[in-house]
Amino acid sequence: MSAFSRLRLDGVSRRFGGQAALTELDLTIESGEFIALLGPSGCGKSTALNCLAGLLPLTQGSIWQDERRIDTLPPERRGFGMVFQSYALFPHLTVRANIAFGLRMRRLPREETRRRTEEAVRLVRLEDHVDKLPGQLSGGQQQRVAIARAVVFEPSLVLMDEPLSNLDAKLRLEMRTEIRRLHQSLGLTTVYVTHDQEEALSLADRLVVLREGRVQQIGSPRELHNRPANWHVADFMGYRNLWRGRVDRLDGNRATIESSGQRLLGEAVGDLRTGADTMVAVRPEDIRVDGPGETPNAMSAIIEVVEYQGRELAAEARTDTGMLLHLRTEQRIAPGDQVKLAIDPQRLLVYPADAARRTDLPASGSEAAR
Amino acid sequence: MSDAGPGRPLAHWQHRLAERGVDRQLWLLVPALIFVVALFLYPFFYGLTLSFQPTNGGPFSDYARFFSDAYERGTIWITLRIALPAALLNVLAAVPIAYRMRGRFRGKRLVTTLLVVPITLGTVLTAQGLLNFLGPTGWFNRILLATSLVDEPVRLTHNYWGVFFSLVITGFPFAFLLVLSYLSGIDPTLERAAATLGADWRRRFTQITLPLLMPGLATTFCLTFVLAFSVFPSAVLVGNPAGETRVISLAAYQAAYEQYDYPYASAIAMIMGFVELVIIAVVLAARSRFYTGSTGGKG
Ligand SMILES: Nc1ncnc2c1ncn2[C@@H]1O[C@H](COP(=O)(O)OP(=O)(O)OP(=O)(O)O)[C@@H](O)[C@H]1O
Ligand SMILES: [Mg+2]
């Protein structure tokens, strides 16, 4: 139960029947770290978390807490706190009794249990609700009880499974800040599961991106944001423009691409050869409107759809060669406008196209209409 | 409300009534209502009035007659002595089995079927089986005698135990099915949450599952108790209807069909109903002290 300096997952795998839900997860968690497990629905995030918590036995691999192997311990002997997606508050116990549950199970002295419960209640600002039953609380309050209950016994690791997914947008932002604040004030080692890349980027020290049960990339928010390891991660991290293309020329990291009759200059990421199929990824905010005339990657396009998003506009544009572009801009544009667009070659990432089936292509208009 | 259109006040009232549950869907209750009136309320009030019109004496003289006669009065105790432990055993035995079987596993359907089969047998067949198995020359005693565990056959039929076993055999499937459905109504994540908070299986059961299950157990107890309290065929077939298993329904039967004293039989039936109500009221009062709200399960 004591704090550890390092938690190591070694080839952790889980199969359900013949189907692999999690494959060979290797990850080392340092004490005090905030790690986000990120990935689309069904990629194995909850499976990974449940394996860590001891709620699911592994089919392969091992988990080490410093030098001690813990993957054979039942959940009650691991001492990890867990916040469930559905909160899983005990409906017959008051808020106070819910929060005190973990302390009572550890048979702490009554006085200490009371003191630490009160402290946790204050931490999540529920002083006015301690005697209510969970059913009498709002969603956000229930969420705070769930968090307080999971951290009150100062677990060596806190696991959170999409704790904010049931809340509305405003509350989600508030609770996000609250979780970050709690993490900073208590210094708890946290593994946080989410499918919301923005949430993961804003909360975590390190992100682990999963796809179909396999780790795609592990890195800092900045690394993930600026340089996704492959086009699947790019797709997930908000690179909405994904175009198929072919490598024309390679010059170190600079690649010249031919995509739907358009010549593009970009930054090669990963193993590329001349003539190879590629995927080109660009963030909507990296496409500039009315760029100066003679830059690389200049194209002219017609604005088709415009969405108002506060300070910015999100728009769809189609180039003369038929490519569909998603872009964000602060300039005033309207459907039907003829615009000049430009993309900084450093912000145009060129990935090898894996042996993907055509159906793997994101639906969001990545290829030219033919 | 300033709108004075002719349709408005009516629509307004319909809306107000609908909020209180009064709407056209109420018609759906009519068949049930007819059923209740014809098969329950009418016979009940008929019996009630009949019980106050004894063949001789004042309106309460049949009740006085029952309570002044120790032989008659004793049937209440005899019935309770069989029905309460049988109902309790049914519920208590159902809990661990249902708890073990709440998840999904291979062969669950087979096991459930085996446990529930006694419902389909009916009391007479059960009694027959009991006589064959537990009777003085039944297999059970033959095995005991053959292994020299006893010197003479153990008497397990035509007395208290015969009726008791018969009630357990017929009542257990009901209790089991009810408890199983109450258990699957409890969200399994709650126990998982308790586990991550450091509770071993014993405390997960006593602190989380059992408190949430208690109201269901109380209801189950009431139902199996009522079934056991009106025990009649097995009291005659595998019990000792003249002595220690002369249950109250037997007393009512004798009054009605052996003495042809319908008012007295009605009075006994009313007393029987009253005793049942008292027990149920006590159990339900205890039940209300537990949490009875949603338990978040799949129902
Ligand atoms: N009990 C189970 N039996 C069979 N397959 C399962 C079981 N639990 C999960 N799976 C499968 O394992 C894969 C990963 O599931 P998991 O719950 O880990 O996904 P997730 O990443 O948490 O998704 P979401 O974001 O939707 O919660 C899925 O394909 C799922 O169908
Ligand atoms: Mg999940």
Side-chain angles (χ1 to χ4, degrees), chain A residues 1 3 79-82 106 150-158 188-189:
Chain A
M1 310 253 171
F80 298 162
M82 180 144 174
R106 279 164 183 71
V151 303
V152 69
F153 58 94
E154 290 170 13
S156 54
L157 179 66
V158 181
L188 292 165
T189 316

Side-chain angles (χ1 to χ4, degrees), chain A residues 117-188:
Chain A
T117 306
E118 295 304 317
E119 236 167 66
V121 165
R122 227 172 304 124
L123 202 63
V124 294
R125 290 176 273 180
L126 282 172
E127 293 94 332
D128 297 340
H129 308 281
V130 281
D131 293 315
K132 289 187 183 169
L133 291 177
Q136 301 165 314
L137 299 179
S138 74
Q141 290 164 344
Q142 291 185 22
Q143 185 54 268
R144 293 214 287 267
V145 178
I147 293 173
R149 185 179 71 174
V151 303
V152 69
F153 58 94
E154 290 170 13
S156 54
L157 179 66
V158 181
L159 307 165
M160 301 195 186
D161 193 353
E162 309 204 22
L164 306 186
S165 59
N166 287 343
L167 305 179
D168 66 57
K170 182 169 175 293
L171 203 53
R172 197 149 59 215
L173 280 182
E174 280 174 31
M175 288 300 299
R176 195 201 279 179
T177 319
E178 198 131 331
I179 288 176
R180 187 71 213 174
R181 183 174 62 83
L182 269 177
H183 174 73
Q184 276 166 3
S185 62
L186 302 177
L188 292 165

Side-chain angles (χ1 to χ4, degrees), chain B residues 85-103:
Chain B
L88 197 65
L89 180 72
N90 281 338
V91 174
L92 290 186
V95 172
I97 298 173
Y99 188 65
R100 182 64 194 78
M101 289 186 50
R102 88 212 117 121

Side-chain angles (χ1 to χ4, degrees), chain A residues 76 80 92 104-106, chain B residues 190 195-197 203 207 291:
Chain A
E76 64 268 24
F80 298 162
H92 59 301
R104 276 209 297 123
M105 291 305 115
R106 279 164 183 71
Chain B
L190 296 180
T196 63
L197 293 168
R203 293 211 273 175
Q207 310 261 325
Y291 171 81

Side-chain angles (χ1 to χ4, degrees), chain B residues 121-168:
Chain B
L121 291 183
T123 340
V124 178
L125 212 55
T126 310
Q128 188 85 44
L130 271 176
L131 290 176
N132 277 331
F133 181 66
L134 293 178
T137 57
W139 303 343
F140 184 70
N141 270 315
R142 269 190 267 165
I143 291 171
L144 286 187
L145 286 173
T147 52
S148 328
L149 282 168
V150 292
D151 296 333
E152 52 187 83
V154 187
R155 265 186 63 90
L156 291 171
T157 52
H158 297 298
N159 62 4
Y160 174 84
W161 292 108
V163 184
F164 183 81
F165 287 132
S166 150
L167 288 181
V168 169

Side-chain angles (χ1 to χ4, degrees), chain A residues 16-17 19-21 39-48 85 161-162 193 195:
Chain A
F16 290 108
Q19 191 207 357
S41 182
C43 70
K45 306 180 297 283
S46 298
T47 305
Q85 184 168 352
D161 193 353
E162 309 204 22
V193 160
H195 61 254

